[in-house]
Amino acid sequence: MPPTDDPLAALFAALPAQASNSVGGTARSVLVNRLKGVTPGSHTQAWPLKAQPTFRAIFFPSYAPVPLEGDVAAVTGLPDQWWSDLVVALLARAVYDVSAVERGHVDVGAVDAAVAAAGATLSPRLVDWYGHVLSVAFPPVASALAALPDRAAALDAYAGHLTSPDWVGMKRLQWLGGTWVGADWELFHHWVKLALLGASDDRVAGVITAAAGLGLPVPARVGAAAWRSYLAWMTPSSIGPADVEGDARPGLLGCAALSGCFAEENSVEFMARSQPGGRYWRS
């Protein structure tokens, strides 16, 4: 590799700690915050009262935008409407879980199917989001990328080092000696950094295949066909009801109406036919 003061060498060496990966924590928390931020709809009030608190204010009163939240739609390719639909499904599931009054009216099968489908859509896109956060919120990677004069040349050099007999031989000796701890974590980040330098999925797969052909022991879960599904950086590894129920529970069990208030009125209102949750309401 180039001298240690070279940005390419710094990029090659940059690796978040797996046990305390602040990059993964940030990446996940921003996604959850974006989810809460696009909660649709408002509580209706009986005429002539005009106050209409939003469901976001009712269920997530402490919500505030965070850095990188505005990048979610562009990086994942999933527009705000997609995230809005997901938070509706998750809140409907929360109604089912916590509301005694409205539980029997929630089509929980449809809710769970919607959440599962959303998870299947999101999962393969998460590596792009993680890479984006790594590139802007992890200083060793961010500063190295900013200092590179030519990313195309850097990509060629990076890929060449990963497929060099010297590097592969060194890693193979570490593996055989039992000293290469966290091989999957390290290799995953090399693949992500290749992508940040502009490598297509086919090129990343080609590098993985070439390195493995030279004897690099590549764990299956970060192999050419699987690395985009590697989620060791994200805990929990999916976004689900638990991400909204804690904050939403007081609102779900309360009442925001200015008249005719009753226990769990907010849950009933959210699940009304004309409201966001109405798509999951059954008689």
Side-chain angles (χ1 to χ4, degrees):
M1 284 295 289
T4 55
D5 60 348
D6 187 286
L8 183 59
L11 180 64
F12 196 91
L15 183 66
Q18 185 170 4
S20 56
N21 181 18
S22 62
V23 181
T26 296
R28 193 182 191 285
S29 66
V30 172
L31 292 180
V32 172
N33 210 62
R34 172 74 305 203
L35 190 70
K36 295 175 180 179
V38 293
T39 303
S42 299
H43 193 297
T44 58
Q45 303 286 359
W47 185 89
L49 300 174
K50 295 182 179 180
Q52 293 186 325
T54 66
F55 287 120
R56 187 179 76 184
I58 292 170
F59 299 136
F60 308 117
S62 61
Y63 166 80
V66 297
L68 303 182
E69 188 174 332
D71 298 346
V72 170
V75 175
T76 63
L78 299 170
D80 284 349
Q81 183 61 54
W82 186 92
W83 294 95
S84 180
D85 289 343
L86 176 55
V87 76
V88 169
L90 294 176
L91 284 169
R93 176 69 206 210
V95 171
Y96 179 82
D97 289 342
V98 308
S99 171
V101 173
E102 194 69 3
R103 176 184 175 92
H105 291 294
V106 178
D107 187 347
V108 71
V111 168
D112 289 347
V115 172
T121 298
L122 178 61
S123 182
R125 301 164 190 252
L126 287 172
V127 68
D128 293 323
W129 175 246
Y130 179 74
H132 176 68
V133 177
L134 185 75
S135 72
V136 298
F138 185 58
V141 170
S143 59
L145 286 172
L148 289 171
D150 184 342
R151 289 201 183 187
L155 171 59
D156 290 340
Y158 201 121
H161 192 66
L162 288 172
T163 54
S164 68
D166 287 346
W167 186 80
V168 170
M170 177 190 68
K171 302 310 289 187
R172 182 171 174 79
L173 286 174
Q174 290 178 358
W175 177 274
L176 293 173
T179 60
W180 192 12
V181 179
D184 55 344
W185 183 255
E186 179 182 337
L187 291 177
F188 169 73
H189 283 84
H190 282 311
W191 314 152
V192 170
K193 286 180 280 185
L194 288 174
L196 290 175
L197 289 172
S200 65
D201 283 2
D202 285 344
R203 180 152 191 194
V204 174
V207 170
I208 297 172
T209 301
L214 290 172
L216 182 70
V218 179
R221 61 180 182 159
V222 292
W227 73 277
R228 276 193 160 272
S229 300
Y230 182 81
L231 291 174
W233 58 268
M234 182 166 158
T235 305
S237 61
S238 62
I239 292 176
D243 289 303
V244 304
E245 286 187 8
D247 286 350
R249 185 182 182 93
L252 291 168
L253 299 179
C255 173
L258 298 179
S259 64
C261 203
F262 57 90
E264 303 180 20
E265 188 269 347
N266 289 335
S267 290
V268 174
E269 173 72 7
F270 181 75
M271 297 298 297
R273 285 290 193 187
S274 60
Q275 292 288 24
R279 69 191 78 171
Y280 298 113
W281 189 91
R282 64 183 180 187
S283 61

